Amino acid sequence: RKHGHILVRSCFVLFFVVNIPLFLYMSLIHQRGAIQIMPYLSATVPPNSSIVFLTPCHSFPFQSHFHRNDTALRMITCEPPLQ
């Protein structure tokens, strides 16, 4: 019985040792460029221009981070082919 308790505890510790670095990477580093580029674009793109994002649909936070009404933002859509 004691051997089973040690095995369960070891699996529990291993689970956290593996998942905590993975959690930190996914929440702090992975795909943060999509948010970090928006202030740069907002400051450098001339007025009355257009930006097209050629990434998977809904990868960028459009007006929630861009805050300019004089620039058109477009992206690839995720609409299914209805033919």
Side-chain angles (χ1 to χ4, degrees):
R1 173 167 182 184
K2 184 154 178 113
H3 178 68
H5 182 67
I6 292 172
L7 181 63
V8 168
R9 180 172 278 191
S10 298
C11 288
F12 188 71
V13 169
L14 180 65
F15 174 79
F16 279 103
V17 166
V18 170
N19 280 298
I20 287 177
L22 186 62
F23 166 77
L24 291 172
Y25 172 76
M26 291 299 225
S27 62
L28 299 174
I29 298 171
H30 183 67
Q31 292 189 346
R32 69 179 172 189
I35 293 175
Q36 288 180 336
I37 195 68
M38 296 311 268
Y40 172 78
L41 289 175
S42 182
T44 59
V45 171
N48 299 322
S49 47
S50 178
I51 300 173
V52 179
F53 295 96
L54 300 176
T55 60
C57 52
H58 307 293
S59 294
F60 281 89
F62 276 12
Q63 290 296 340
S64 66
H65 283 75
F66 193 68
H67 304 297
R68 281 183 49 187
N69 293 329
D70 63 347
T71 304
L73 300 175
R74 295 181 296 166
M75 69 176 164
I76 297 173
T77 64
C78 297
E79 298 169 354
L82 300 173
Q83 294 181 7

